[in-house]
Amino acid sequence: MRQSSCATSSCAWQRRRPIVSRSIRVLLEVRTPYRLDWTVEALRRVPTNPVDVMTAQGCYMREFSDGNGTTIVEVTQPRRDAIDIRLSGSAAKRHLQTVAMMLGANVDLRDWYRRVRAFPWLARLARDLRGLKPPRYPELWETLCHGIVFQQLSIVAAAAIMQRFVVRFSTPVANGKIRLY
């Protein structure tokens, strides 16, 4: 499991839109077993995903924008039973539950683990990926866009289409060399 810190205070955010400086930080207990790195990789699908970013240091980053402004999210896993969520921006508090839901923090897979024992090949896979939680998209719109685009012949083709769409119709927020859409 990758562990690191990516504190907002150490990030020099460059923005096209001003962000009201409100921030919150929560150490959220998660239902174990839990692996932030694997859960984010499942959410991202491919490393070129410009929306859900995982840094080499193990920090998950994402931007939320709406009529109230922009919120930047940074999540790390300092302990096996907790994730550290930092949100900065005008609607930081409003996005806390969304981030916890997206990352499957409270998903209980005990029944699923019990049911897959009857299928040896699936039980092995479940054991090897223990800690991966089923991620969710934050809004219905994003879910529908991915549901349509990822019906392509390959995940690489779908990811390329989604990346072009996001980059074309979003305004990026940059943190050094990392751009969040």
Side-chain angles (χ1 to χ4, degrees):
M1 176 179 340
R2 290 181 277 184
Q3 295 181 354
S4 71
S5 65
C6 185
T8 303
S9 60
S10 68
C11 296
W13 293 103
Q14 302 165 355
R15 300 173 185 87
R16 291 187 184 175
R17 297 178 301 264
I19 293 181
V20 177
S21 85
R22 290 184 203 149
S23 64
I24 60 172
R25 183 174 183 177
V26 174
L27 187 65
L28 180 69
E29 290 187 11
V30 294
R31 196 174 293 265
T32 59
Y34 187 86
R35 293 279 307 258
L36 176 66
D37 54 348
W38 288 355
T39 301
V40 170
E41 289 306 314
L43 179 65
R44 295 181 71 206
R45 291 190 175 143
V46 294
T48 56
N49 179 329
V51 176
D52 298 291
V53 176
M54 184 65 125
T55 68
Q57 296 77 30
C59 180
Y60 168 61
M61 300 169 68
R62 184 180 172 115
E63 172 202 9
F64 290 100
S65 293
D66 58 24
N68 296 320
T70 300
T71 299
I72 301 298
V73 176
E74 296 175 290
V75 183
T76 57
Q77 187 173 6
R79 303 187 328 231
R80 66 177 216 53
D81 65 342
I83 55 177
D84 185 8
I85 305 174
R86 290 169 303 281
L87 301 104
S88 9
S90 56
K93 189 174 183 178
R94 189 168 58 94
H95 293 291
L96 179 60
Q97 286 184 341
T98 301
V99 172
M101 178 268 310
M102 285 176 59
L103 298 176
N106 294 314
V107 174
D108 185 358
L109 294 175
R110 287 180 293 189
D111 283 344
W112 187 79
Y113 287 129
R114 197 169 25 258
R115 284 183 289 179
V116 299
R117 287 184 200 145
F119 308 94
W121 68 272
L122 191 54
R124 277 191 306 277
L125 185 62
R127 185 181 57 248
D128 292 346
L129 295 176
R130 200 161 181 82
L132 168 65
K133 298 292 182 152
R136 294 174 57 189
Y137 293 113
E139 297 176 347
L140 182 59
W141 170 251
E142 191 171 336
T143 304
L144 291 172
C145 287
H146 280 263
I148 293 167
V149 172
F150 279 88
Q151 292 181 37
Q152 298 300 311
L153 293 176
S154 77
I155 195 167
V156 174
I161 293 167
M162 186 59 74
Q163 181 178 4
R164 286 193 301 269
F165 180 82
V166 167
V167 169
R168 169 67 178 92
F169 294 106
S170 298
T171 303
V173 173
N175 174 23
K177 294 181 182 178
I178 298 174
R179 287 176 168 243
L180 301 174
Y181 289 89

